[in-house]
Structures are given as C-alpha cells and as structure tokens.
C-alpha cells in the first residue's frame, strides 16, 4: 500500500533514491541541494537502505566516483546544483559517452557571479549537449516519480539522466507526497543488470582512444539511443500509470485542446501558471498550458502536435542563452521550422536568479503576449 | 528510428556502445618500428680463451653453481681427463685473465677444477668408452700428452696400447713434479678411474726408439708422446750429468732419496729449479737458486716463486756459472750479468766473477730430447709436426714436448694429446676436418671479446676470493706431503658464485624481465632465450642489461 | 649492519619475478619505455584479479586504442584529474557487491598525480580508500610532448622551460605530502631494482587501505637519453640518492636500499635534458640531493653518510653483533653453516670486529671475509 508523507522536493529525491536502492552515492554539499545528501545519509543511517556513500572532496570527484562505480556495474546516484554541476561538466560527457545509467538530481540554481543561491535553469541547460536526458519537474510528487522513471529508462537505453528541480520553491517546499510501496517499485524498476562492466573474467578497457572512424560511430549510437529513450519514457509512463494511477507525460498539456493561445513553460512555473490559465479561461481567453517535462531527448513530435493547433505560443523561459534568447524557446522554434500551421511565437525570459514568478507576473505576460502585434519573432525580458 | 543502422553497422562492423576493447594488442606488430635488432651471442670468456687445455670454463662453473658436479665433470673431461692433477699443477692463466680480478680477486678456477677432480676420485666416477671398438693405436710415452691421447682415442672406441719406458704411467706428473705439489696417491687414483674401464693397455719398462717403425706396421696409427726427459746441462768446465735436476727429482719421486745436508745450489729459474730447491729443503739442505736473469724474468710460475720464498729459498739474480771445481765440496765461480727481458741474451759484466762454495749442485736449466726418431725428428730438437700433429709419415703422429710445438705445460700437453687423438680419428675415418677445435664443445661463438667494460657491474658486488688452506711452513718442510688442501664444497660454492660467467648465458632472465615489450621468451626445453621480432622495438635494453655480454645488436630495418 | 640491506648479488639468479605474464605485447609505448616495464612487472605481481584505473597519461596511450587493450585486466580510462576518485568508485561498487579479492589500482603519471589529480588523490588518501595508487613519475608531461610539471626536477629542460637554466623551481616533494596523510603504506620503487620493486608491490597488495607507490620512470624521448639506458638511469638515480628507495609503513620510515653513493654527474650526463647543467648548477643540485637524503636518514633513524671518506675508509665499530644479528646477516648472504662452522664464524667475528687492522673493511666486507675464512676451514 502506498503511504503519504509531507516531503520537500529534496526529501522526495532522497526517498526515491533510497527506494531505488542506489548502491554507490557520491556526495558533496552545495546549497540548495545539500538537504538531499543529508536526507540520504539519514536514510542510510537508519538502515532504510544501505548504499556505499563516498564522501568526496568535490562535485567533480562525486561524478568521477559514481562513474567508476557504474562501470563496475552498480546503480549510482549523486546530486548537485549550479557551480557544482558546472564543475562536473567534463565528467557529464564522460558518463554519457561511457553509456552509464547514472541518475543525478540537479537543483536549479543560478550561476555566479555574483553569488546567487536561488533558482534559474541556466546551470542545467548549460549541460544540454553533454548527452544526458533531462527531466524538469514541477512538484515533489513528480520528482519522486521521475527518479524511478529516470533509473528505469536510463538502464534500458544506457544514457544518464538528470532530474531537475527548482531551488527552494520546489527543493525546500513541503507537499504531501504519495510514496508507492516496495512491491510497486520492484515491478517498475527491476534490479540493475549491466550489459557491460569491468569484469576480471572478460578484461576489457573502457574509454580508450577512438580513432575518427569509430568515434562518430559511437556518438551516432548515443544519439540513436536518445531517440529510443522517448519511446521508453512513454512506455514507462504508461506502466507507472497502471501501477500508481499517475502519469507525467513527455510534454504535459493543460486545457490546451481548443486553445488559440498556448503558454509554454517548464518546471514549477507550470504549476504557478495553472490557476492563471483557469482565471483567463473564465474571462474568455482561449488559453492553454504546455509544460515541457522532457527536455532531452527533445520531444519534437509532441511539441509539433500541440503547437500546430494554436495560433500563438507564448514561451516563458527561466533561462537565457546570452546573445540569443530563452533556451526552451529556441528549441521549440527549431522543432517547428518548416512545419505547416506553425504558430506565431513570442519568447519571454524572466525569473532569473530566483526573481519571483508570481501568478500576476504570468498573467501580465500572457496578456502582453496575446496583445502584442507580431512582426516576425519576438524576445522580451519579463 | 530503431531499425536504422549506423554506417559501420551496415558494413558489418559492430562497435560496442561504450567503445570497450575487443582484443589484446597482440595483433599490433610493433616490430615494424625497429631499426636495430638484438641477438644472443655466446662469447668465449677470457678464461676459456687462455685455458691451456681448452675448457669452456663458464659452462663448468654454471653446472657447479647448480650443484651438478657429475655433469660439470663430464664437461671437464671433454677436454681433460686429469682434472685432479692439472687442478694442482696448472699455472692457471685463466685466473690471471679473470675479469673478477678487480672486484675481490679472480675466481679460483684452478681450485674448482681440482675440486671436481677430487670429487671424481672420491666418488670413483670412471671414464667409459662410447664407441664401437675399432682400430688399434700405439702411443709411445705415458706422459700427459700420451695419457690424453690414449684417453680420447679410447673413449672414441679405439684399442690403445701405451708403451712406457718407466715403471709407471704419468711422465712428468709422476717423475718431475714433487709430491708436495701433486701427491702420487692422487695421480694413481686418477689414472685408475680414467683407464680402469677403457680399452687401454699399458706396457711398462718398454723403451721404443728406432723400433717405432715396427709399430707402424702392427698398429693402425702410432703417436709419439715421449716428452723431453733429459736435463740440459750447460757446457761449462766441471758440469756433468750427475748434476741433473730432473734426475734428482725422479729419484725422490721414486722414493730413492737420501737425506741431504749442507747447502745446495740450484742453477736455473724455471719450475724445475724451484721444485729441486724445495725438494732439497725437505731433505734437509739450505737451497739457493742462481738465475742468470732477474727474478721477474724467471720462467717459473708465480706461485712457485712465492711458495719457494715462503719456505726459505734464497734467490741470487743475474749470475751465471762459468766454472765448477770439485774439492770435497763444490766451488762455483759465477759471473754477474745484466738482462733486459726473457728473450734477449744476457750480457756478462766483465771482471765480476765471484765464487760460491756449496755441498751440492743441481742444474735445472732446461730439458732436451734424445734423438730417437731419426726419420721424423730434427737433428737438434723436436719432432716436426703439422698443425694436425702429423709427422711426415701419414700414420705417425706426435704430440707434447717431444714435438717442435712443445707446449711446456701439463695442460698444454693434454690439449695436444686430445687434438692429436682427433686427428688420428679423422685420419682413420678419412674425414677431413681442417683443424680440431681447441674448445671441444664450443657453442658456435664468434668472439669479439669480452672485457670488463662489457660486463654490467650493476649486477655484481665485490666478493673476496676464498683463500686456499695451506699447511704452515714449519710442518711443510718436514715431509713431502701436499701443502695445500682442496677447497671444501662451501668455498667452491662461494667461488662459483663469484664468477661473472663472461659471455656465457646462465639464464639470469634479465633480458626477459627488462623487456618493455614482453618480446623475449625462454624455451625451457631448448634452454635458450629468443627475441620475438614481431614485437621487439629495438630499444636494446636487453643487450645493455645483460650482466655478462651475451647479447649483441645489429642494424636491421624491419 | 642496519645500513646494509643488500643480499649478495652474484648476477646469476638476479630477480625472482612471478612467471605469469598478463600484459600483452604490441602496446604503444615508445622503445625503451620505463612505464611499460613497470606495468608489465606490476601486473605480474597483482595478477588477473585487478582493475586498473588510468587517467590521461602515457599509459592511456600505451594500453592501445580501440579495439585493443594490452593490460590483460579490466582497465578504465578516466578523466585526467580523477584517477583516485574513479578508483574510489570502483572500490565502492566492489564493496557493495561484497567482492574483496580484487585489487583496485590507479595507475597515473606525474601530471595526473602531482598536479591536476592531487585534489582527488589527497581526498582518497584521507578517506583511506582501499586502493593502490601508483604514480609513474617521468618528471614532465610526456604524453603531450615534454612540458614542465611540478614533478620536473630543477634544471631540467622541457618544451615549456626551454631557456637556461631549465626549470628554476625544485621538484615537488610528493612523498612528504602523501606520507602526511598517514596512509598505511607509502613506497618509492625503481624497476631497475626489480626485487625491491616486486617486494614493495607484493607488500602493497597485501595491505588494506590506501597504498601509494612512487615509481621513477625514465623516459627516453623526454629525458633525451638512449633507449637502452632506461634501466641504467634507474640504477644511477637510486645510487646517486636522487631517488632513494624507501618505504613508510604505519608511519615507520625505512630505507630499503642504502647505496654507497655515486656522484650525480653520471646520472645527469646520460640525459640530454640536463645538457646545459654545469659546474655551479650541479653543485646546487647535489646540495639539494644531500639535504633531502639527510632529512630522509633522520626520519629513518640512520646516519646519513653524506660524504663517505675517500679511500682508505676507516670503519669504526663499537659493539660486536649479537649472535642472532650475525645469524641474520649470514642468512642474507644465503649462508647455511653447520653448528660448528657457525660457532667458529662467530668466534672469528668477535676477534676481528674491533681489530683496528680490519678497520678498512666495511662491516659487510669483514663478514664476507669471515665467511670465506670459515668456508676454507674443515670444521667437521
């Protein structure tokens, strides 16, 4: 039987990792991720699960350690934020290129300087091209469920997963969370059997020099596996629904079916936006919400499916690619290039460094978005 | 999407997703990088190069190192049937050329030989004949050369008859060398184990001279090895045959000696002179050696001189006797001389005469050969032989001091006996071997010399030579007992441990262990290392790190 | 006698290496590579039940490109700075799977150890991770083409210290850094002294916790020496005390080979990277070497003998060895005496030990002399 507990986003991560019985966990503190590893240590201390926790001296070593462990054939985990993720950058490539089913929780935090501990997505989106899957969550429940999904899919397609949650608004905010029982988890997430590992009976080297003809070949396969991952995410989501009644989709829609306008966003901004959508619907505006949950692999088909139905898409990014505009917006635009019935697209960026995204702010953005006269594309700061 | 194949997959190549290796590097033949190439080369060691009887010394030492005394003896006997004797009397040039000299003193090679000889005697390891028995050979003279020739022919399967004018075999070993250097008991026992099971017949007290031609008809081949047995007495007033040093030694060795008193003057500077002087000491005389050149030009071996001096012999240098007067005792008139070296003639200093009174005189001024074999012998001197020890008569061979190639040492005579035996064998089998090999089982080495610079001293440390145990001087002079004892097994083990084994592989495996490319392997059945040129990159660490210069290198583009 | 640890070397049966080869031929090391010999020998000691973790370094290339691997054991290439961390992960996973009989070995160059990898290394040492970390130190970034590292000795030419006088700074004292972590085992080793090398690797293999082995690894292209001089340079480095062989086990320091010192000149002469080093520079290097040796001796509780007097050497001896000590020395010389011989040898020792006329003999020489004397006596 599932049980219900009041959990912060970070605690949800820790509980899910414990239930997934991660074997090796490399830990290193950074605000606002720290409570994840603290909770993991607590859970390990009270024998909820018995991982090997390696108290490393940097995020770089945290990732290096679990890469070593993953190559040896066990389930691994680490968590970080912002600067820590940036320090890991080299090893993110190493994990993906090594085809290791590592799961990492990243609590979105703005990059320094000046120091900021508050949320925005630039840290994780800067890792867009490392070959990791990225899941952006809006609630503690989604975080919990996504950790299981991430392990399941990663171990199927052998690509690491990054589960991303917003600093404080999600990481440190308590919500009631339904925790599935172990039986359910066992059904959903079988024990990890590696398809390759450091094996003294079959000694191989991993990560040796790849000559040009082989390098691209291996990367080609990684990219193919990303495509396959979308199918697996979808399958797993369906299974999850069977087991728990919950599904999270790849792209989530809210009142989008008949909408003329779509507010497109990600993570907690989506949950803040829902009441605004309801309010504006009541006021007669045919507006819906699209939440991009899976950023990598990028859900081209789903994005096309929803966005070709509307007249105008108002994309709200809590991130920025300097010299361009919001990163989700770029991605969505690229998905719609040359597609028939593409909507008009407005790109807004706001909420950086933890700047509050309130319902009022979203409402203003939507109103602005519906009223702006468009001449080509548009990018504005909110 | 799922069914799409990558370009390499379409051409049937499956690269694992994580790029893990599929095989070892063994198919990567790094030998093609090479432009120099190492090879193994056994070189003749400095000791073997100078060995008078042609022993491959490092091979023997290696077997002793492994405690394989019998096998070592087998190798030893390939060149020399009398190790117990030569191990006592050989001047051991091997030790003078030993490269260990500078790192604790040369290896006691002679003592190792002696040890093995005594080992054979004590364990009664007989020499056996291998061959199908065929052919009859006569040998004239049972000295070292004759014994050697008889032995090497007998083990090849010939019936050998040795004619000896004296009562027993041994020649110089028995009648020339005093017992304190080579006990007769050792010689007897050694001859016993050598000949007891060989088809050799000794006919004693049979002097062959002109009747050798008769033997030529009776035997398939005849070898003359009768040595030089007569003292050469200088032609000065008063000197006579009675003063022969050789005769003096022979009497002692026959047990016919009488105690002497007073003083003896020995004229000469060779080993015989010292043997005479030292024997006289033991009979109760004071001995003085008079030599026409200086002490350092003496032909005697160093150990003769040092032991002689230890025992109390006086040496008077640069004097030459010019007249002897007998008047109860003897009065010898000497002239003083100057000398440059051993080869040039001495110069007498005018008006330098002085007289010495002595009770006895012994001449040890060289030996000569009687003119017995008129057809093949030069009027004054030895028998003329070719490089294969053949005389002008094809059936007649000669070896040892009787020939013009007189070796002058026991070991040298043994070598000549062996080479003559090979020549006889070749002659009888009509094989045409150009030149018998000095070292009997040489392993095809082309020698470019081993010097101390070529030895890698990183692998050796200074180890001192073990001294030989000798009787103290007072007790020595009381009798004719042997003065030095054979090294015990521990000391022999110590000595072989000290050997560098120059130029001879002893399987230390340095080459193999230090090869960065794992390209050297050891075939334990063939007992040899080989370089796998598929992988050798030509760094030549193996050559450099061979402790004993058994490897070489050459330019060779792969 | 504690000054001497050398058995009688007779050059015949020199090294006792394990038989089983694991490392494959055909690897990509330069001709005469010191690392290749070290790896080959170390793997023989470690055996098949070993996992190697290799950061960016020469060995990452030596082992071979895809699809090849020379190591013969599982080998994980990892990021330059992460050898110790990655190896920690491998060990953590093995622990989690309850596998205890596999050696986890990080095999890294000096760049990945002294420089970029020092942080992870220090952390793993502090955590006392159960692994063996081997730093093969070729004293520069050789894989990238001879750039200065903090392991490069003062005076050495590299492509990034091209002007006279070469690298101005001294070599980082990594040994002290590592030992300060109070790890269970630290050792320096040179492949030239293969027995010592093998002993140390065997010892390391049997100890639990963080073990660090520092190898000086001559590099022909980088040091500009003849390819065949690799082993010779190891000998010279040790004998000139530039690279002393010692170990620290449970905080106890021990010099494992105390050579009679040779001058550093020959070591420098064989290497092109020191070609410009002359006169005063050599003196400065010698001073530094001597200073370090003195420090080391102090830690090992040994007299330093920086400048042993020229011939004739006078050895002063105070106390006669005890019978047990003497037995120990004899066994080092592979001497197996009978009781009688033992007694005789010890009597000789007692009479000669303090005899002034034997003071030009070193302790070892005197004992060798006694051994030889006993051997020629008949003691039965």
């Amino acid at each position: 039987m599932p049980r219900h507990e009041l959990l912060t986003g970070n605690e949800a991560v820790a509980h899910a990792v414990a239930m997934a019985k991660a074997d090796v966990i490399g830990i290193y503190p950074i605000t606002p991720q720290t409570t994840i590893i603290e909770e993991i240590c607590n859970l390990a201390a009270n024998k909820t699960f018995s991982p090997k926790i390696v108290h490393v001296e940097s995020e770089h070593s945290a990732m290096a350690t679990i890469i070593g462990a993953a190559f040896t054939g066990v389930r691994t985990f680490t968590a970080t934020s912002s600067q820590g993720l940036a320090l890991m950058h080299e090893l993110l490539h190493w994990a993906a290129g090594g085809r290791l089913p590592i799961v990492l929780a990243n609590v979105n935090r703005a990059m320094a300087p000046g120091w900021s501990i508050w949320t925005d997505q630039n840290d994780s989106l800067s890792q867009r091209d490392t070959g990791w899957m990225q899941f952006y969550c809006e609630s503690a429940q989604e975080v919990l469920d996504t950790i299981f999904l991430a392990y399941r899919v990663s171990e199927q397609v052998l690509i690491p997963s990054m589960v991303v949650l917003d600093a404080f608004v999600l990481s440190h905010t308590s919500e009631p969370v339904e925790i599935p029982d172990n039986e359910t988890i066992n059904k959903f997430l079988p024990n990890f059997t590696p398809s390759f590992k450091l094996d003294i009976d079959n000694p191989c080297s991993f990560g040796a020099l790849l000559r040009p003809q082989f390098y691209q070949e291996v990367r080609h396969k990684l990219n193919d596996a990303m495509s396959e991952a979308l199918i697996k995410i979808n399958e797993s989501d369906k299974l999850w629904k069977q087991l728990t009644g919950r599904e999270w989709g790849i792209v989530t829609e809210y009142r989008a079916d008949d909408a003329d306008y779509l507010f497109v966003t990600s993570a907690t901004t989506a949950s803040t936006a829902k009441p605004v959508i309801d309010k504006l619907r009541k006021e007669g505006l045919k507006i819906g919400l699209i939440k991009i949950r899976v950023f990598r692999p990028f859900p081209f088909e789903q994005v096309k499916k929803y966005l070709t139905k509307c007249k105008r898409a108002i994309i709200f990014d809590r991130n920025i690619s300097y010299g361009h505009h919001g990163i989700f917006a770029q991605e969505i635009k690229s998905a719609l290039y040359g597609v028939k019935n593409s909507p008009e697209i407005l790109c807004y960026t706001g909420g950086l460094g933890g700047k509050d995204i309130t319902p009022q702010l979203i409402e203003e953005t939507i109103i602005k978005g519906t009223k702006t006269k468009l001449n080509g594309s548009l990018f504005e700061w909110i | 999407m799922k069914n799409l194949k990558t370009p390499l997959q379409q051409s049937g190549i499956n690269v694992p997703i994580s790029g893990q290796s599929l095989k070892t590097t063994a198919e990567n033949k790094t030998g093609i990088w090479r432009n120099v190439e190492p090879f193994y080369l056994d070189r003749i060691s400095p000791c073997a190069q100078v060995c008078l009887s042609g022993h491959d010394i490092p091979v023997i030492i290696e077997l002793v190192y492994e405690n394989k005394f019998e096998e070592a003896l087998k190798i030893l006997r390939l060149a020399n049937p009398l190790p117990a004797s030569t191990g006592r009397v050989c001047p051991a040039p091997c030790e003078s050329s030993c490269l260990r000299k500078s790192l604790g003193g040369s290896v006691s090679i002679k003592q190792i030989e002696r040890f093995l000889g005594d080992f054979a005697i004590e364990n009664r390891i007989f020499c056996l004949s291998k061959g199908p028995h065929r052919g009859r050979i006569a040998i004239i003279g049972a000295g070292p050369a004759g014994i050697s020739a008889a032995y090497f022919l007998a083990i090849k399967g010939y019936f050998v008859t040795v004619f000896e004018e004296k009562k027993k075999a041994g020649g110089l070993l028995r009648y020339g060398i005093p017992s304190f250097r080579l006990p007769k008991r050792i010689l007897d026992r050694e001859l016993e184990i050598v000949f007891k099971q060989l088809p050799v017949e000794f006919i004693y007290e049979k002097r062959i001279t002109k009747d050798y031609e008769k033997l030529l008809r009776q035997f398939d081949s005849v070898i003359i090895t009768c040595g030089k047995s007569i003292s050469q007495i200088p032609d000065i007033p008063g000197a006579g045959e009675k003063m022969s040093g050789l005769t003096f030694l022979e009497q002692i060795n026959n047990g016919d000696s009488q105690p002497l008193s007073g003083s003896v003057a020995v004229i000469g500077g060779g080993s015989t002179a010292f043997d005479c002087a030292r024997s006289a000491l033991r009979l109760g005389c004071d001995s003085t050696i008079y030599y026409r050149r200086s002490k350092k030009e003496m032909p005697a071996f160093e150990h003769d001189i040092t032991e002689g001096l230890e025992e109390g012999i006086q040496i008077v240098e640069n004097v030459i006797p010019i007249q002897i007067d007998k008047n109860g005792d003897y009065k010898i008139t000497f002239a003083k001389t100057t000398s440059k070296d051993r080869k040039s003639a001495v110069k007498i200093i005018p008006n330098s005469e002085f007289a010495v009174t002595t009770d006895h005189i012994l001449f040890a001024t060289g030996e000569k050969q009687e003119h017995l074999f008129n057809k093949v012998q030069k009027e004054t001197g030895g028998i003329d032989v070719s490089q294969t020890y053949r005389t002008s008569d094809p059936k007649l061979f000669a070896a040892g001091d009787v020939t013009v190639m007189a070796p002058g040492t026991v070991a040298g005579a043994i070598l000549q006996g062996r080479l003559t035996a090979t020549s006889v064998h070749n002659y009888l089998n009509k094989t045409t071997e150009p030149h018998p090999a000095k070292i009997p089982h040489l392993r095809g080495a082309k020698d470019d010399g081993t010097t101390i610079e070529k030895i890698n001293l990183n692998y050796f440390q200074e180890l001192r030579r073990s001294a030989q145990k000798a009787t103290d001087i007072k007790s020595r002079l009381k009798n004719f007992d042997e003065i030095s004892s054979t090294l015990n097994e521990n000391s022999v083990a110590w000595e072989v441990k000290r050997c560098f084994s120059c130029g001879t592989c002893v399987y230390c495996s340095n080459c193999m262990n230090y090869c960065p490319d794992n390209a050297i392997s050891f075939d334990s059945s063939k007992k040899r290392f080989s370089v796998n040129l598929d992988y050798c990159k030509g760094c030549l660490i193996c050559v450099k790190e061979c402790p004993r210069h058994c490897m070489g290198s050459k330019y060779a583009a792969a | 006698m504690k000054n001497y640890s050398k058995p009688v070397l007779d050059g015949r049966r020199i090294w006792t290496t394990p038989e089983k080869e694991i490392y494959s031929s055909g690897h990509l090391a330069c001709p005469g590579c010191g690392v290749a010999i070290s790896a080959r020998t170390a793997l023989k000691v470690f055996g098949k039940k070993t996992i190697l973790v290799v950061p960016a370094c020469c060995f990452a290339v030596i082992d071979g490109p895809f699809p090849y691997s020379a190591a013969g054991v599982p080998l994980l290439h990892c990021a330059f700075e992460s050898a110790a961390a990655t190896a920690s992960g491998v060990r953590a996973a093995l622990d989690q799977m309850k596998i205890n009989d596999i050696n986890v070995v990080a095999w890294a160059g000096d760049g990945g150890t002294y420089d970029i990898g020092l942080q992870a290394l220090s952390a793993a040492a502090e955590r006392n991770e159960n692994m063996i970390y081997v730093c093969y130190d070729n004293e520069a970034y050789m894989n990238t083409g001879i750039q200065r590292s903090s392991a490069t000795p003062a005076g050495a030419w590299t492509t990034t210290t091209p002007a006279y006088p070469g690298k101005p700074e001294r070599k980082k004292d990594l040994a002290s850094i590592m030992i300060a972590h109070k790890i269970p085992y630290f050792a320096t080793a040179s492949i030239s002294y293969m027995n010592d090398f093998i002993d140390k690797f065997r010892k390391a293999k049997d100890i639990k916790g963080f073990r660090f082995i520092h190898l000086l690894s001559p590099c022909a292209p980088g040091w500009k020496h003849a390819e065949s001089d690799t082993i010779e340079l190891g000998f010279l480095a040790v004998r000139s005390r530039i690279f002393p062989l010692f170990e620290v086990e449970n905080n106890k320091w021990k010099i494992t080979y105390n050579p009679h010192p040779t001058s550093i000149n020959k070591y420098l002469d064989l290497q092109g990277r020191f070609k410009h080093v002359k006169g005063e520079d050599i003196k400065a290097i010698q001073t530094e070497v001597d200073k370090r040796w003195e420090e080391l001796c102090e830690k090992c509780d040994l007299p330093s003998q920086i400048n042993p007097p020229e011939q004739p050497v006078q050895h002063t001896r105070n106390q006669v060895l005890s019978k047990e000590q003497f037995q120990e020395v004899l066994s080092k010389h592979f001497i197996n005496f009978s009781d009688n011989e033992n007694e005789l040898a010890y009597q000789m020792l007692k009479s000669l030990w303090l005899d002034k006329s034997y003071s030009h003999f070193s302790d070892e020489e005197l004992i060798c002399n006694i051994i030889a004397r006993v051997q020629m006596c008949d003691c039965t």
Side-chain angles (χ1 to χ4, degrees), chain B residues 98-107 452 455-465 494 498-500, chain C residues 9 365:
Chain B
C98 178
L99 299 186
R100 174 56 97 167
K101 215 191 264 176
S102 57
L103 219 65
S106 54
V107 176
I452 192 74
I455 300 292
N456 192 332
L457 294 178
N458 287 332
Y459 301 101
F460 303 100
Q461 70 188 86
E462 188 171 337
L463 301 177
R464 296 197 183 221
R465 177 181 164 115
W494 177 259
R498 296 173 64 246
C499 173
F500 290 164
Chain C
L9 257 192
E365 285 174 327

Side-chain angles (χ1 to χ4, degrees), chain B residues 75 86 94 96 128 193 197 223 226-227 235 256 325 377 403 414 424 446 470 490 493 497 500 511:
Chain B
I75 304 283
T86 50
C94 50
S96 323
L128 300 173
I193 60 162
Q197 306 203 356
I223 307 172
C226 56
D235 188 17
D256 302 340
D325 299 301
Q377 193 172 13
T403 67
I414 288 173
V424 170
K446 273 190 193 150
N490 279 337
K497 198 183 256 189
F500 290 164
C511 50

Side-chain angles (χ1 to χ4, degrees), chain B residues 177-487:
Chain B
I177 292 171
S179 303
F180 58 84
R181 284 175 59 203
L182 171 61
K184 299 297 151 295
R185 184 178 46 88
I186 296 286
L187 180 65
D188 288 340
R189 293 176 68 190
E190 183 153 53
L191 289 174
E192 186 199 348
I193 60 162
V194 172
F195 287 112
K196 191 164 182 194
Q197 306 203 356
L198 290 182
V200 179
E201 183 191 8
F202 284 89
I203 297 174
Y204 294 112
E205 296 179 272
K206 171 85 178 162
R207 183 175 159 92
I208 307 280
T209 54
K210 299 213 163 83
D211 44 351
Y212 77 94
E213 287 182 44
K214 218 189 284 169
L215 295 180
L216 279 173
R217 289 192 290 276
Q218 289 166 5
F219 290 86
D220 295 324
S221 188
V222 175
I223 307 172
I224 304 171
T225 57
C226 56
K228 284 179 183 160
S229 52
I230 303 174
S231 274
Q232 194 170 337
I233 311 288
D235 188 17
I236 55 172
E241 289 294 327
K242 277 189 292 182
M243 301 168 187
S244 158
L246 272 188
T247 314
F248 170 72
L249 290 174
E250 188 179 333
Q251 275 167 4
I252 297 170
N253 282 321
N254 274 334
D256 302 340
S257 57
Q258 302 294 320
L260 291 179
S261 59
S263 60
V264 63
V266 181
I267 318 292
S271 288
T272 309
F274 279 90
D275 286 345
C276 289
R278 292 171 71 187
S279 298
L281 280 179
R282 283 164 173 76
L283 293 173
C285 278
D286 290 334
S287 296
T288 310
I289 284 180
Y290 297 90
Y291 182 50
R292 57 189 168 143
R293 294 193 175 89
S294 70
K295 195 158 85 184
K296 59 175 191 284
E297 286 151 5
M298 280 184 166
F301 302 121
E302 208 185 313
H303 63 90
D304 285 331
I305 301 173
T306 44
E307 284 172 2
L309 289 173
E310 266 173 27
E311 289 173 7
I313 288 171
Q314 305 292 313
I315 295 177
V316 181
E317 304 169 84
N318 286 97
V319 291
I320 189 163
I322 46 176
Q323 187 174 333
I324 297 166
D325 299 301
K326 167 94 170 148
N327 186 9
D329 47 12
Y330 294 95
K331 188 180 126 204
I332 315 172
T333 311
F334 287 101
K336 290 190 177 167
T337 64
T338 55
S339 59
K340 247 197 298 183
D341 53 51
R342 207 186 287 176
K343 278 171 194 155
S344 49
V346 296
K347 279 185 192 152
I348 295 178
I349 303 171
N351 304 321
S352 61
E353 292 84 358
F354 65 98
V356 169
T357 313
T358 182
D359 296 307
H360 313 281
I361 303 179
L362 291 171
F363 277 97
T365 45
E367 298 82 32
K368 63 178 182 185
Q369 174 55 45
E370 288 172 278
H371 190 71
L372 298 172
F373 310 100
N374 52 352
K375 275 194 184 160
V376 290
Q377 193 172 13
K378 285 182 179 170
E379 197 62 42
T380 53
I383 297 176
D384 214 354
V385 289
S386 70
Q387 288 287 307
T388 51
Y389 301 93
R390 218 153 160 187
T391 66
S392 51
D393 184 331
K395 274 180 92 171
L396 184 65
F397 295 77
D401 279 355
V402 74
T403 67
V404 288
M405 302 213 282
T409 57
V410 173
I414 288 173
L415 171 71
Q416 289 194 356
R418 169 160 61 82
L419 299 181
T420 310
T422 315
S423 288
V424 170
H425 176 74
N426 291 344
Y427 161 67
L428 294 177
N429 287 282
K430 304 202 167 47
T431 49
T432 47
E433 210 172 279
H435 209 298
K438 184 188 159 198
I439 298 176
H441 65 302
L442 197 61
R443 292 140 299 135
K446 273 190 193 150
D447 191 45
D448 58 348
T450 300
T451 58
I452 192 74
E453 290 77 28
K454 303 272 176 65
I455 300 292
N456 192 332
L457 294 178
N458 287 332
Y459 301 101
F460 303 100
Q461 70 188 86
E462 188 171 337
L463 301 177
R464 296 197 183 221
R465 177 181 164 115
S466 32
Q468 208 182 350
K469 192 183 169 193
T471 321
D472 70 88
I473 291 162
K474 265 191 186 166
S475 342
R476 271 191 216 176
L477 296 181
K478 287 180 186 152
N479 52 41
F480 279 81
D481 288 352
E482 188 168 22
I483 59 172
S484 67
S485 64
T486 308
L487 290 186

Side-chain angles (χ1 to χ4, degrees), chain A residues 229-282:
Chain A
L230 272 180
I231 299 161
K232 297 289 179 196
I233 293 168
N234 201 30
E235 280 172 17
S236 300
D237 210 32
K238 297 278 174 299
L239 177 63
W240 192 246
K241 189 175 184 191
Q242 255 178 42
L243 294 169
T244 65
R246 290 187 296 279
E247 64 175 334
W248 298 97
I250 291 169
V251 169
T252 321
E253 60 91 21
Y254 182 71
R255 306 185 76 165
D257 269 354
D258 59 341
D260 291 336
Y261 300 96
L262 283 177
F263 184 70
V264 185
T265 190
S266 61
T268 49
T269 313
S271 52
T272 315
K274 277 178 195 163
V276 181
I277 300 292
D278 291 342
K279 182 175 173 245
L280 290 174
R281 277 274 183 178
K282 249 184 222 165

